[in-house]
Amino acid sequence: MSAAPQYETNYDDKFDARDYLNEYFQVVDQTNANLLKFIVEVLQKEDISGAKVINFGCGPCIDTVISVAPKCTEIHMSDYLDANLQEVREWIAQAPDAFNWEHFLRSGLQLEAEFAQADTTVTDAQIAERSAIIRQKITQLMTGDAKQAQPLGAEGHQQYDALVMFFCLEAAAADFAEWQQMVQNVMSLLKPNGLIIWAMTALQTEGYQVGDETFQVIPLKENDIRDALAPCVASESLQIDYFDVVEHELVQGAFLVTARTRA
Ligand SMILES: C[S@@+](CC[C@H](N)C(=O)[O-])C[C@H]1O[C@@H](n2cnc3c(N)ncnc32)[C@H](O)[C@@H]1O
């Protein structure tokens, strides 16, 4: 009998921000398109005007805030690794080596136009305008750790109107019990009636590739999400969708979750 594969859990030494960007964000594939569409769709229904938003476990990425930025007041970006935040800082600073998010910006703007039944031709000027809005709305970048009861630290602790969290806790947790605890920790960042926009790998996904490393993922079922959120969300607000992921061998699918914390 062969032993179950032991995948990497050491983010401090083994996670390379550029390898991650190159692995998952070179092209807007079907998975990325589904994720961008999820955000656009949620924001058709949910009002985030005046909202202060936390993008927790943001990684080195800005794709998750492309459609959020023009609708909210302020965005705080948090990740466990400062090296990931550094990629975001470089994009904000328009550093020469910053990762190029133009293709994601174009797709996000196209999706928004489709939903608005407007012309889906996206110009370079529109991309520049949206980039400027994102740069202006990101007002803080801070390290955070979902293992802590106060994931932004006691000093950084504050509550938000909305949480955006993509592919973080299932990758960060050592085991299922820790994942459950991390959900409670991160949900404490939301105000009552706060909006959750949450995507995670699903079902038999147990790892994901970053360069030469394969990082561990906790496999999750729909009921795991329902149970973990039960103490903190209004049950009628909870919606969970699923799609198959075809591009990444180790990833079976993704859950897309929206909910509101109890009033
Ligand atoms: C799969 S990446 C997701 C990045 C990004 N949100 C995305 O959608 O591509 C997992 C992220 O979780 C972060 N992470 C790992 N351990 C963490 C912890 N204890 N607390 C918060 N984030 C953590 C990693 O640094 C990494 O950026």
PDB file of all heavy atoms in Angstrom, residues 11 15 20 24-25 35 55-61 63-64 78-81 84 144-147 165-173 182 208 210, ligand 1:
ATOM      1  N   TYR A  11       5.143  27.786   4.078  1.00  0.00           N
ATOM      2  CA  TYR A  11       5.034  28.980   3.238  1.00  0.00           C
ATOM      3  C   TYR A  11       6.251  29.887   3.407  1.00  0.00           C
ATOM      4  O   TYR A  11       6.685  30.534   2.448  1.00  0.00           O
ATOM      5  CB  TYR A  11       3.730  29.738   3.541  1.00  0.00           C
ATOM      6  CG  TYR A  11       2.575  29.096   2.808  1.00  0.00           C
ATOM      7  CD1 TYR A  11       1.910  28.001   3.333  1.00  0.00           C
ATOM      8  CD2 TYR A  11       2.204  29.544   1.549  1.00  0.00           C
ATOM      9  CE1 TYR A  11       0.895  27.371   2.637  1.00  0.00           C
ATOM     10  CE2 TYR A  11       1.188  28.929   0.842  1.00  0.00           C
ATOM     11  CZ  TYR A  11       0.535  27.843   1.394  1.00  0.00           C
ATOM     12  OH  TYR A  11      -0.448  27.228   0.687  1.00  0.00           O
ATOM     13  N   PHE A  15       7.256  29.021  -0.591  1.00  0.00           N
ATOM     14  CA  PHE A  15       6.287  29.625  -1.524  1.00  0.00           C
ATOM     15  C   PHE A  15       6.953  30.778  -2.262  1.00  0.00           C
ATOM     16  O   PHE A  15       7.429  31.737  -1.646  1.00  0.00           O
ATOM     17  CB  PHE A  15       5.072  30.136  -0.746  1.00  0.00           C
ATOM     18  CG  PHE A  15       3.934  30.607  -1.615  1.00  0.00           C
ATOM     19  CD1 PHE A  15       2.926  29.738  -2.003  1.00  0.00           C
ATOM     20  CD2 PHE A  15       3.859  31.935  -2.044  1.00  0.00           C
ATOM     21  CE1 PHE A  15       1.866  30.177  -2.800  1.00  0.00           C
ATOM     22  CE2 PHE A  15       2.814  32.376  -2.836  1.00  0.00           C
ATOM     23  CZ  PHE A  15       1.806  31.492  -3.206  1.00  0.00           C
ATOM     24  N   TYR A  20       4.131  31.405  -8.350  1.00  0.00           N
ATOM     25  CA  TYR A  20       2.674  31.313  -8.214  1.00  0.00           C
ATOM     26  C   TYR A  20       1.974  32.134  -9.305  1.00  0.00           C
ATOM     27  O   TYR A  20       1.061  31.636  -9.977  1.00  0.00           O
ATOM     28  CB  TYR A  20       2.253  31.795  -6.816  1.00  0.00           C
ATOM     29  CG  TYR A  20       0.775  31.650  -6.566  1.00  0.00           C
ATOM     30  CD1 TYR A  20       0.188  30.392  -6.424  1.00  0.00           C
ATOM     31  CD2 TYR A  20      -0.045  32.765  -6.489  1.00  0.00           C
ATOM     32  CE1 TYR A  20      -1.173  30.255  -6.201  1.00  0.00           C
ATOM     33  CE2 TYR A  20      -1.407  32.631  -6.264  1.00  0.00           C
ATOM     34  CZ  TYR A  20      -1.971  31.379  -6.121  1.00  0.00           C
ATOM     35  OH  TYR A  20      -3.318  31.243  -5.909  1.00  0.00           O
ATOM     36  N   TYR A  24      -0.470  30.453 -12.366  1.00  0.00           N
ATOM     37  CA  TYR A  24      -1.938  30.591 -12.382  1.00  0.00           C
ATOM     38  C   TYR A  24      -2.466  31.838 -13.097  1.00  0.00           C
ATOM     39  O   TYR A  24      -3.665  31.941 -13.345  1.00  0.00           O
ATOM     40  CB  TYR A  24      -2.482  30.561 -10.941  1.00  0.00           C
ATOM     41  CG  TYR A  24      -2.207  29.224 -10.286  1.00  0.00           C
ATOM     42  CD1 TYR A  24      -1.113  29.046  -9.458  1.00  0.00           C
ATOM     43  CD2 TYR A  24      -3.012  28.116 -10.567  1.00  0.00           C
ATOM     44  CE1 TYR A  24      -0.824  27.806  -8.894  1.00  0.00           C
ATOM     45  CE2 TYR A  24      -2.735  26.882 -10.017  1.00  0.00           C
ATOM     46  CZ  TYR A  24      -1.637  26.729  -9.186  1.00  0.00           C
ATOM     47  OH  TYR A  24      -1.369  25.496  -8.651  1.00  0.00           O
ATOM     48  N   PHE A  25      -1.588  32.803 -13.386  1.00  0.00           N
ATOM     49  CA  PHE A  25      -2.109  34.090 -13.867  1.00  0.00           C
ATOM     50  C   PHE A  25      -1.475  34.584 -15.168  1.00  0.00           C
ATOM     51  O   PHE A  25      -1.538  35.758 -15.478  1.00  0.00           O
ATOM     52  CB  PHE A  25      -1.960  35.153 -12.753  1.00  0.00           C
ATOM     53  CG  PHE A  25      -2.729  34.779 -11.512  1.00  0.00           C
ATOM     54  CD1 PHE A  25      -2.092  34.177 -10.438  1.00  0.00           C
ATOM     55  CD2 PHE A  25      -4.105  34.979 -11.441  1.00  0.00           C
ATOM     56  CE1 PHE A  25      -2.797  33.800  -9.301  1.00  0.00           C
ATOM     57  CE2 PHE A  25      -4.816  34.607 -10.310  1.00  0.00           C
ATOM     58  CZ  PHE A  25      -4.169  34.012  -9.238  1.00  0.00           C
ATOM     59  N   LEU A  35     -13.986  32.855 -11.948  1.00  0.00           N
ATOM     60  CA  LEU A  35     -13.771  33.577 -10.686  1.00  0.00           C
ATOM     61  C   LEU A  35     -14.051  35.072 -10.856  1.00  0.00           C
ATOM     62  O   LEU A  35     -14.689  35.696  -9.999  1.00  0.00           O
ATOM     63  CB  LEU A  35     -12.342  33.340 -10.191  1.00  0.00           C
ATOM     64  CG  LEU A  35     -12.048  31.887  -9.802  1.00  0.00           C
ATOM     65  CD1 LEU A  35     -10.545  31.656  -9.652  1.00  0.00           C
ATOM     66  CD2 LEU A  35     -12.773  31.499  -8.515  1.00  0.00           C
ATOM     67  N   ASN A  55      -9.238  42.070   1.764  1.00  0.00           N
ATOM     68  CA  ASN A  55      -8.922  40.949   0.874  1.00  0.00           C
ATOM     69  C   ASN A  55      -7.908  40.102   1.631  1.00  0.00           C
ATOM     70  O   ASN A  55      -6.714  40.418   1.666  1.00  0.00           O
ATOM     71  CB  ASN A  55      -8.358  41.479  -0.443  1.00  0.00           C
ATOM     72  CG  ASN A  55      -8.121  40.377  -1.458  1.00  0.00           C
ATOM     73  OD1 ASN A  55      -8.342  39.205  -1.185  1.00  0.00           O
ATOM     74  ND2 ASN A  55      -7.664  40.755  -2.636  1.00  0.00           N
ATOM     75  N   PHE A  56      -8.401  39.060   2.297  1.00  0.00           N
ATOM     76  CA  PHE A  56      -7.548  38.273   3.197  1.00  0.00           C
ATOM     77  C   PHE A  56      -6.891  37.115   2.444  1.00  0.00           C
ATOM     78  O   PHE A  56      -7.550  36.404   1.699  1.00  0.00           O
ATOM     79  CB  PHE A  56      -8.369  37.736   4.377  1.00  0.00           C
ATOM     80  CG  PHE A  56      -7.496  37.177   5.460  1.00  0.00           C
ATOM     81  CD1 PHE A  56      -6.919  38.002   6.409  1.00  0.00           C
ATOM     82  CD2 PHE A  56      -7.197  35.820   5.494  1.00  0.00           C
ATOM     83  CE1 PHE A  56      -6.065  37.500   7.386  1.00  0.00           C
ATOM     84  CE2 PHE A  56      -6.348  35.302   6.470  1.00  0.00           C
ATOM     85  CZ  PHE A  56      -5.784  36.138   7.411  1.00  0.00           C
ATOM     86  N   GLY A  57      -5.592  36.930   2.679  1.00  0.00           N
ATOM     87  CA  GLY A  57      -4.851  35.882   1.966  1.00  0.00           C
ATOM     88  C   GLY A  57      -4.751  36.212   0.490  1.00  0.00           C
ATOM     89  O   GLY A  57      -4.864  35.335  -0.364  1.00  0.00           O
ATOM     90  N   CYS A  58      -4.531  37.495   0.218  1.00  0.00           N
ATOM     91  CA  CYS A  58      -4.586  37.989  -1.170  1.00  0.00           C
ATOM     92  C   CYS A  58      -3.481  37.413  -2.042  1.00  0.00           C
ATOM     93  O   CYS A  58      -3.581  37.454  -3.271  1.00  0.00           O
ATOM     94  CB  CYS A  58      -4.539  39.511  -1.193  1.00  0.00           C
ATOM     95  SG  CYS A  58      -3.015  40.197  -0.489  1.00  0.00           S
ATOM     96  N   GLY A  59      -2.411  36.887  -1.402  1.00  0.00           N
ATOM     97  CA  GLY A  59      -1.292  36.420  -2.211  1.00  0.00           C
ATOM     98  C   GLY A  59      -0.641  37.598  -2.919  1.00  0.00           C
ATOM     99  O   GLY A  59      -0.754  38.745  -2.481  1.00  0.00           O
ATOM    100  N   PRO A  60       0.010  37.335  -4.064  1.00  0.00           N
ATOM    101  CA  PRO A  60       0.653  38.410  -4.815  1.00  0.00           C
ATOM    102  C   PRO A  60      -0.288  39.032  -5.856  1.00  0.00           C
ATOM    103  O   PRO A  60       0.172  39.605  -6.840  1.00  0.00           O
ATOM    104  CB  PRO A  60       1.812  37.674  -5.496  1.00  0.00           C
ATOM    105  CG  PRO A  60       1.304  36.265  -5.678  1.00  0.00           C
ATOM    106  CD  PRO A  60       0.341  35.982  -4.578  1.00  0.00           C
ATOM    107  N   CYS A  61      -1.599  38.905  -5.632  1.00  0.00           N
ATOM    108  CA  CYS A  61      -2.602  39.116  -6.699  1.00  0.00           C
ATOM    109  C   CYS A  61      -3.475  40.352  -6.506  1.00  0.00           C
ATOM    110  O   CYS A  61      -3.802  40.700  -5.376  1.00  0.00           O
ATOM    111  CB  CYS A  61      -3.540  37.916  -6.759  1.00  0.00           C
ATOM    112  SG  CYS A  61      -2.691  36.339  -6.811  1.00  0.00           S
ATOM    113  N   ASP A  63      -6.245  40.459  -8.965  1.00  0.00           N
ATOM    114  CA  ASP A  63      -7.402  40.104  -9.806  1.00  0.00           C
ATOM    115  C   ASP A  63      -8.723  40.139  -9.025  1.00  0.00           C
ATOM    116  O   ASP A  63      -9.757  40.504  -9.561  1.00  0.00           O
ATOM    117  CB  ASP A  63      -7.213  38.702 -10.421  1.00  0.00           C
ATOM    118  CG  ASP A  63      -6.974  37.635  -9.370  1.00  0.00           C
ATOM    119  OD1 ASP A  63      -6.141  37.860  -8.464  1.00  0.00           O
ATOM    120  OD2 ASP A  63      -7.626  36.581  -9.439  1.00  0.00           O
ATOM    121  N   THR A  64      -8.676  39.805  -7.735  1.00  0.00           N
ATOM    122  CA  THR A  64      -9.895  39.714  -6.930  1.00  0.00           C
ATOM    123  C   THR A  64     -10.487  41.085  -6.592  1.00  0.00           C
ATOM    124  O   THR A  64     -11.599  41.143  -6.085  1.00  0.00           O
ATOM    125  CB  THR A  64      -9.593  38.967  -5.617  1.00  0.00           C
ATOM    126  OG1 THR A  64      -8.344  39.429  -5.121  1.00  0.00           O
ATOM    127  CG2 THR A  64      -9.527  37.469  -5.828  1.00  0.00           C
ATOM    128  N   SER A  78      -4.283  41.799   2.723  1.00  0.00           N
ATOM    129  CA  SER A  78      -3.502  41.117   3.750  1.00  0.00           C
ATOM    130  C   SER A  78      -3.065  39.740   3.270  1.00  0.00           C
ATOM    131  O   SER A  78      -3.833  39.033   2.614  1.00  0.00           O
ATOM    132  CB  SER A  78      -4.336  40.967   5.029  1.00  0.00           C
ATOM    133  OG  SER A  78      -3.597  40.245   5.996  1.00  0.00           O
ATOM    134  N   ASP A  79      -1.835  39.395   3.586  1.00  0.00           N
ATOM    135  CA  ASP A  79      -1.353  38.037   3.319  1.00  0.00           C
ATOM    136  C   ASP A  79      -0.340  37.654   4.390  1.00  0.00           C
ATOM    137  O   ASP A  79       0.266  38.514   5.041  1.00  0.00           O
ATOM    138  CB  ASP A  79      -0.712  37.923   1.926  1.00  0.00           C
ATOM    139  CG  ASP A  79      -0.547  36.453   1.532  1.00  0.00           C
ATOM    140  OD1 ASP A  79      -1.547  35.851   1.106  1.00  0.00           O
ATOM    141  OD2 ASP A  79       0.563  35.900   1.683  1.00  0.00           O
ATOM    142  N   TYR A  80      -0.164  36.377   4.554  1.00  0.00           N
ATOM    143  CA  TYR A  80       0.805  35.847   5.521  1.00  0.00           C
ATOM    144  C   TYR A  80       2.232  36.250   5.136  1.00  0.00           C
ATOM    145  O   TYR A  80       3.063  36.523   5.986  1.00  0.00           O
ATOM    146  CB  TYR A  80       0.659  34.323   5.554  1.00  0.00           C
ATOM    147  CG  TYR A  80       1.625  33.625   6.453  1.00  0.00           C
ATOM    148  CD1 TYR A  80       1.494  33.706   7.842  1.00  0.00           C
ATOM    149  CD2 TYR A  80       2.678  32.883   5.933  1.00  0.00           C
ATOM    150  CE1 TYR A  80       2.400  33.065   8.673  1.00  0.00           C
ATOM    151  CE2 TYR A  80       3.579  32.240   6.769  1.00  0.00           C
ATOM    152  CZ  TYR A  80       3.438  32.338   8.132  1.00  0.00           C
ATOM    153  OH  TYR A  80       4.328  31.710   8.951  1.00  0.00           O
ATOM    154  N   LEU A  81       2.513  36.284   3.839  1.00  0.00           N
ATOM    155  CA  LEU A  81       3.879  36.532   3.372  1.00  0.00           C
ATOM    156  C   LEU A  81       4.055  37.968   2.887  1.00  0.00           C
ATOM    157  O   LEU A  81       3.353  38.407   1.962  1.00  0.00           O
ATOM    158  CB  LEU A  81       4.224  35.590   2.215  1.00  0.00           C
ATOM    159  CG  LEU A  81       4.372  34.107   2.539  1.00  0.00           C
ATOM    160  CD1 LEU A  81       4.684  33.334   1.263  1.00  0.00           C
ATOM    161  CD2 LEU A  81       5.472  33.874   3.576  1.00  0.00           C
ATOM    162  N   ASN A  84       4.585  38.309  -0.835  1.00  0.00           N
ATOM    163  CA  ASN A  84       3.401  38.404  -1.690  1.00  0.00           C
ATOM    164  C   ASN A  84       2.893  39.850  -1.743  1.00  0.00           C
ATOM    165  O   ASN A  84       2.571  40.369  -2.815  1.00  0.00           O
ATOM    166  CB  ASN A  84       2.290  37.492  -1.161  1.00  0.00           C
ATOM    167  CG  ASN A  84       2.534  36.032  -1.528  1.00  0.00           C
ATOM    168  OD1 ASN A  84       3.287  35.746  -2.449  1.00  0.00           O
ATOM    169  ND2 ASN A  84       1.893  35.126  -0.819  1.00  0.00           N
ATOM    170  N   GLY A 144      -0.937  39.105   7.751  1.00  0.00           N
ATOM    171  CA  GLY A 144      -2.010  38.541   8.573  1.00  0.00           C
ATOM    172  C   GLY A 144      -1.813  37.038   8.673  1.00  0.00           C
ATOM    173  O   GLY A 144      -1.187  36.425   7.804  1.00  0.00           O
ATOM    174  N   ASP A 145      -2.349  36.466   9.726  1.00  0.00           N
ATOM    175  CA  ASP A 145      -2.181  35.029   9.958  1.00  0.00           C
ATOM    176  C   ASP A 145      -3.505  34.447  10.440  1.00  0.00           C
ATOM    177  O   ASP A 145      -3.953  34.748  11.555  1.00  0.00           O
ATOM    178  CB  ASP A 145      -1.071  34.811  11.000  1.00  0.00           C
ATOM    179  CG  ASP A 145      -0.785  33.337  11.236  1.00  0.00           C
ATOM    180  OD1 ASP A 145      -1.513  32.488  10.678  1.00  0.00           O
ATOM    181  OD2 ASP A 145       0.165  33.047  11.984  1.00  0.00           O
ATOM    182  N   ALA A 146      -4.101  33.607   9.619  1.00  0.00           N
ATOM    183  CA  ALA A 146      -5.408  33.027   9.942  1.00  0.00           C
ATOM    184  C   ALA A 146      -5.356  32.110  11.157  1.00  0.00           C
ATOM    185  O   ALA A 146      -6.393  31.761  11.709  1.00  0.00           O
ATOM    186  CB  ALA A 146      -5.932  32.262   8.731  1.00  0.00           C
ATOM    187  N   LYS A 147      -4.151  31.732  11.574  1.00  0.00           N
ATOM    188  CA  LYS A 147      -4.037  30.868  12.767  1.00  0.00           C
ATOM    189  C   LYS A 147      -4.331  31.642  14.037  1.00  0.00           C
ATOM    190  O   LYS A 147      -4.607  31.046  15.075  1.00  0.00           O
ATOM    191  CB  LYS A 147      -2.617  30.283  12.867  1.00  0.00           C
ATOM    192  CG  LYS A 147      -2.341  29.288  11.778  1.00  0.00           C
ATOM    193  CD  LYS A 147      -1.023  28.570  11.945  1.00  0.00           C
ATOM    194  CE  LYS A 147      -0.882  27.651  10.748  1.00  0.00           C
ATOM    195  NZ  LYS A 147       0.335  27.110  10.456  1.00  0.00           N
ATOM    196  N   MET A 165     -12.010  36.583  -0.025  1.00  0.00           N
ATOM    197  CA  MET A 165     -10.972  35.610   0.332  1.00  0.00           C
ATOM    198  C   MET A 165     -10.988  34.478  -0.698  1.00  0.00           C
ATOM    199  O   MET A 165     -11.972  33.759  -0.835  1.00  0.00           O
ATOM    200  CB  MET A 165     -11.227  35.064   1.740  1.00  0.00           C
ATOM    201  CG  MET A 165     -10.164  34.090   2.193  1.00  0.00           C
ATOM    202  SD  MET A 165     -10.221  33.790   3.965  1.00  0.00           S
ATOM    203  CE  MET A 165     -11.850  33.094   4.193  1.00  0.00           C
ATOM    204  N   PHE A 166      -9.898  34.347  -1.439  1.00  0.00           N
ATOM    205  CA  PHE A 166      -9.806  33.343  -2.500  1.00  0.00           C
ATOM    206  C   PHE A 166      -8.658  32.378  -2.205  1.00  0.00           C
ATOM    207  O   PHE A 166      -7.491  32.776  -2.104  1.00  0.00           O
ATOM    208  CB  PHE A 166      -9.557  34.027  -3.859  1.00  0.00           C
ATOM    209  CG  PHE A 166     -10.821  34.528  -4.529  1.00  0.00           C
ATOM    210  CD1 PHE A 166     -11.877  35.036  -3.791  1.00  0.00           C
ATOM    211  CD2 PHE A 166     -10.962  34.485  -5.905  1.00  0.00           C
ATOM    212  CE1 PHE A 166     -13.036  35.491  -4.398  1.00  0.00           C
ATOM    213  CE2 PHE A 166     -12.121  34.929  -6.535  1.00  0.00           C
ATOM    214  CZ  PHE A 166     -13.156  35.444  -5.777  1.00  0.00           C
ATOM    215  N   PHE A 167      -9.010  31.101  -2.071  1.00  0.00           N
ATOM    216  CA  PHE A 167      -8.027  30.007  -2.017  1.00  0.00           C
ATOM    217  C   PHE A 167      -6.989  30.188  -0.908  1.00  0.00           C
ATOM    218  O   PHE A 167      -5.804  29.949  -1.127  1.00  0.00           O
ATOM    219  CB  PHE A 167      -7.337  29.855  -3.394  1.00  0.00           C
ATOM    220  CG  PHE A 167      -8.324  29.684  -4.508  1.00  0.00           C
ATOM    221  CD1 PHE A 167      -8.534  30.684  -5.444  1.00  0.00           C
ATOM    222  CD2 PHE A 167      -9.082  28.535  -4.575  1.00  0.00           C
ATOM    223  CE1 PHE A 167      -9.480  30.531  -6.451  1.00  0.00           C
ATOM    224  CE2 PHE A 167     -10.025  28.376  -5.579  1.00  0.00           C
ATOM    225  CZ  PHE A 167     -10.229  29.373  -6.519  1.00  0.00           C
ATOM    226  N   CYS A 168      -7.462  30.608   0.251  1.00  0.00           N
ATOM    227  CA  CYS A 168      -6.517  30.859   1.346  1.00  0.00           C
ATOM    228  C   CYS A 168      -6.537  29.785   2.430  1.00  0.00           C
ATOM    229  O   CYS A 168      -5.535  29.092   2.619  1.00  0.00           O
ATOM    230  CB  CYS A 168      -6.784  32.234   1.946  1.00  0.00           C
ATOM    231  SG  CYS A 168      -5.741  32.573   3.368  1.00  0.00           S
ATOM    232  N   LEU A 169      -7.663  29.643   3.137  1.00  0.00           N
ATOM    233  CA  LEU A 169      -7.635  28.845   4.376  1.00  0.00           C
ATOM    234  C   LEU A 169      -7.388  27.368   4.131  1.00  0.00           C
ATOM    235  O   LEU A 169      -6.703  26.706   4.914  1.00  0.00           O
ATOM    236  CB  LEU A 169      -8.937  29.044   5.165  1.00  0.00           C
ATOM    237  CG  LEU A 169      -9.263  30.493   5.530  1.00  0.00           C
ATOM    238  CD1 LEU A 169     -10.507  30.555   6.401  1.00  0.00           C
ATOM    239  CD2 LEU A 169      -8.091  31.180   6.202  1.00  0.00           C
ATOM    240  N   GLU A 170      -7.948  26.842   3.032  1.00  0.00           N
ATOM    241  CA  GLU A 170      -7.728  25.411   2.742  1.00  0.00           C
ATOM    242  C   GLU A 170      -6.262  25.151   2.406  1.00  0.00           C
ATOM    243  O   GLU A 170      -5.779  24.022   2.534  1.00  0.00           O
ATOM    244  CB  GLU A 170      -8.675  24.933   1.619  1.00  0.00           C
ATOM    245  CG  GLU A 170      -8.375  25.444   0.205  1.00  0.00           C
ATOM    246  CD  GLU A 170      -8.898  26.854  -0.068  1.00  0.00           C
ATOM    247  OE1 GLU A 170      -9.123  27.618   0.881  1.00  0.00           O
ATOM    248  OE2 GLU A 170      -9.068  27.187  -1.255  1.00  0.00           O
ATOM    249  N   ALA A 171      -5.560  26.208   1.958  1.00  0.00           N
ATOM    250  CA  ALA A 171      -4.129  26.080   1.668  1.00  0.00           C
ATOM    251  C   ALA A 171      -3.292  26.344   2.919  1.00  0.00           C
ATOM    252  O   ALA A 171      -2.202  25.798   3.064  1.00  0.00           O
ATOM    253  CB  ALA A 171      -3.733  27.061   0.560  1.00  0.00           C
ATOM    254  N   ALA A 172      -3.815  27.162   3.826  1.00  0.00           N
ATOM    255  CA  ALA A 172      -3.030  27.584   4.997  1.00  0.00           C
ATOM    256  C   ALA A 172      -3.126  26.602   6.158  1.00  0.00           C
ATOM    257  O   ALA A 172      -2.205  26.516   6.975  1.00  0.00           O
ATOM    258  CB  ALA A 172      -3.517  28.961   5.461  1.00  0.00           C
ATOM    259  N   ALA A 173      -4.234  25.860   6.250  1.00  0.00           N
ATOM    260  CA  ALA A 173      -4.473  25.016   7.427  1.00  0.00           C
ATOM    261  C   ALA A 173      -3.653  23.725   7.371  1.00  0.00           C
ATOM    262  O   ALA A 173      -3.494  23.124   6.311  1.00  0.00           O
ATOM    263  CB  ALA A 173      -5.959  24.678   7.520  1.00  0.00           C
ATOM    264  N   MET A 182      -9.737  28.414  11.689  1.00  0.00           N
ATOM    265  CA  MET A 182      -9.355  29.577  10.873  1.00  0.00           C
ATOM    266  C   MET A 182     -10.585  30.301  10.319  1.00  0.00           C
ATOM    267  O   MET A 182     -10.590  31.529  10.210  1.00  0.00           O
ATOM    268  CB  MET A 182      -8.472  29.126   9.705  1.00  0.00           C
ATOM    269  CG  MET A 182      -7.051  28.820  10.094  1.00  0.00           C
ATOM    270  SD  MET A 182      -6.144  28.283   8.616  1.00  0.00           S
ATOM    271  CE  MET A 182      -4.470  28.390   9.220  1.00  0.00           C
ATOM    272  N   TYR A 208      -1.726  21.824  -4.640  1.00  0.00           N
ATOM    273  CA  TYR A 208      -1.604  22.689  -5.819  1.00  0.00           C
ATOM    274  C   TYR A 208      -0.132  22.993  -6.040  1.00  0.00           C
ATOM    275  O   TYR A 208       0.650  23.091  -5.112  1.00  0.00           O
ATOM    276  CB  TYR A 208      -2.459  23.956  -5.682  1.00  0.00           C
ATOM    277  CG  TYR A 208      -1.975  24.968  -4.667  1.00  0.00           C
ATOM    278  CD1 TYR A 208      -1.316  26.128  -5.069  1.00  0.00           C
ATOM    279  CD2 TYR A 208      -2.178  24.781  -3.303  1.00  0.00           C
ATOM    280  CE1 TYR A 208      -0.871  27.072  -4.145  1.00  0.00           C
ATOM    281  CE2 TYR A 208      -1.737  25.715  -2.372  1.00  0.00           C
ATOM    282  CZ  TYR A 208      -1.093  26.851  -2.801  1.00  0.00           C
ATOM    283  OH  TYR A 208      -0.653  27.777  -1.874  1.00  0.00           O
ATOM    284  N   VAL A 210       3.200  24.974  -7.213  1.00  0.00           N
ATOM    285  CA  VAL A 210       3.820  26.307  -7.322  1.00  0.00           C
ATOM    286  C   VAL A 210       5.279  26.068  -7.685  1.00  0.00           C
ATOM    287  O   VAL A 210       6.073  25.650  -6.832  1.00  0.00           O
ATOM    288  CB  VAL A 210       3.728  27.110  -5.997  1.00  0.00           C
ATOM    289  CG1 VAL A 210       4.343  28.499  -6.172  1.00  0.00           C
ATOM    290  CG2 VAL A 210       2.295  27.232  -5.511  1.00  0.00           C
TER     291      VAL A 210
HETATM  292  C1  LIG B   1      -3.263  29.539  -2.983  1.00  0.00           C
HETATM  293  S1  LIG B   1      -2.638  31.054  -2.402  1.00  0.00           S
HETATM  294  C2  LIG B   1      -4.014  32.141  -2.743  1.00  0.00           C
HETATM  295  C3  LIG B   1      -3.594  33.525  -3.134  1.00  0.00           C
HETATM  296  C4  LIG B   1      -4.673  34.425  -3.732  1.00  0.00           C
HETATM  297  N1  LIG B   1      -5.716  34.717  -2.802  1.00  0.00           N
HETATM  298  C5  LIG B   1      -5.277  33.839  -4.992  1.00  0.00           C
HETATM  299  O1  LIG B   1      -6.510  33.834  -5.117  1.00  0.00           O
HETATM  300  O2  LIG B   1      -4.565  33.432  -5.880  1.00  0.00           O
HETATM  301  C6  LIG B   1      -2.701  30.810  -0.651  1.00  0.00           C
HETATM  302  C7  LIG B   1      -2.299  32.044   0.123  1.00  0.00           C
HETATM  303  O3  LIG B   1      -2.487  31.795   1.529  1.00  0.00           O
HETATM  304  C8  LIG B   1      -1.462  32.485   2.220  1.00  0.00           C
HETATM  305  N2  LIG B   1      -1.300  31.889   3.564  1.00  0.00           N
HETATM  306  C9  LIG B   1      -0.579  30.810   3.941  1.00  0.00           C
HETATM  307  N3  LIG B   1      -0.657  30.621   5.282  1.00  0.00           N
HETATM  308  C10 LIG B   1      -1.466  31.600   5.755  1.00  0.00           C
HETATM  309  C11 LIG B   1      -1.919  31.954   7.057  1.00  0.00           C
HETATM  310  N4  LIG B   1      -1.573  31.245   8.150  1.00  0.00           N
HETATM  311  N5  LIG B   1      -2.728  33.027   7.185  1.00  0.00           N
HETATM  312  C12 LIG B   1      -3.084  33.748   6.088  1.00  0.00           C
HETATM  313  N6  LIG B   1      -2.691  33.468   4.837  1.00  0.00           N
HETATM  314  C13 LIG B   1      -1.884  32.413   4.667  1.00  0.00           C
HETATM  315  C14 LIG B   1      -0.243  32.287   1.340  1.00  0.00           C
HETATM  316  O4  LIG B   1       0.790  33.198   1.629  1.00  0.00           O
HETATM  317  C15 LIG B   1      -0.842  32.444  -0.046  1.00  0.00           C
HETATM  318  O5  LIG B   1      -0.782  33.770  -0.478  1.00  0.00           O
END
